[in-house]
Amino acid sequence: MERFETESLALLPGQRVRAKILSHQPWGVVAEIVGHERIGASVDMIQQFGSATGSYDELKAMYPPVGSQVDAVVEQVHRYNPPAWVRLSIHPEDFESFGWPCDFCGKPAVLSLGGDGLVLDVRSNDGPGSHTVISHRTCLADRIRPDNSGERARALKVGKRDG
């Protein structure tokens, strides 16, 4: 048995992907991520579009057709218990700027390219499973010991492009 499922580590909240719709469910759609077919995925249509529709029939009409491919944004990656499962967003605003609450301060952290958010993968050295924590760069840096200036500086810089 593998200690950690590793294939899903390539997927991060805020990342754009292509998804193939496999089936319709009362709450949304089951999908597979193109290039990551061994990882389960879904889109919760009720959560994303339920408040914008007047009826369930109107919501069902918004479901992408089974067999179609759609652009999506990784919303959450669940790895705590196997198998890994990815929750996707197809909400148009998420393609422009995807945000998720910071697990330290609770305010939205932008996880899209150029954003102020970080994705932390938390693992234990004594057993399987992992968990994702979302953080603003500054929220993480502020929680690192003041005398550890190198790590604080890296938390503020990681993933940013020079120039």
Side-chain angles (χ1 to χ4, degrees):
M1 178 175 129
E2 285 187 44
R3 186 152 165 239
F4 299 107
E5 179 277 330
T6 58
E7 187 175 351
S8 67
L9 293 175
L11 299 166
L12 298 171
Q15 178 181 351
R16 290 183 74 159
V17 295
R18 289 286 291 169
K20 181 179 179 183
I21 306 304
L22 300 178
S23 69
H24 288 178
Q25 302 298 320
W27 48 264
V29 298
V30 174
E32 68 182 15
I33 300 169
V34 175
H36 300 277
E37 287 79 7
R38 292 179 20 185
I39 301 170
S42 61
V43 179
D44 185 334
M45 297 294 289
I46 291 175
Q47 180 266 328
Q48 290 181 32
F49 301 103
S51 63
T53 59
S55 69
Y56 186 68
D57 289 336
E58 189 178 334
L59 177 65
K60 286 287 280 184
M62 297 176 74
Y63 282 35
V66 171
S68 67
Q69 285 192 12
V70 297
D71 289 321
V73 175
V74 174
E75 189 174 87
Q76 295 176 304
V77 182
H78 297 279
R79 294 184 204 94
Y80 191 74
N81 293 310
W85 194 266
V86 177
R87 187 169 174 173
L88 301 171
S89 173
I90 60 170
H91 204 278
E93 285 129 16
D94 289 339
F95 292 108
E96 298 300 317
S97 179
F98 179 76
W100 197 258
C102 172
D103 287 311
F104 293 112
C105 73
K107 296 177 183 162
V110 177
L111 298 171
S112 301
L113 293 177
D116 63 345
L118 295 173
V119 179
L120 311 170
D121 188 44
V122 180
R123 295 183 249 175
S124 169
N125 66 356
D126 63 354
S130 65
H131 175 67
T132 300
V133 174
I134 304 301
S135 174
H136 290 104
R137 293 173 186 282
T138 54
C139 287
L140 179 60
D142 289 348
R143 282 160 177 81
I144 297 173
R145 290 188 333 265
D147 64 320
N148 196 347
S149 60
E151 290 305 321
R152 290 171 62 94
R154 280 185 275 285
L156 295 170
K157 179 81 172 149
V158 68
K160 288 192 168 187
R161 295 185 180 154
D162 292 329

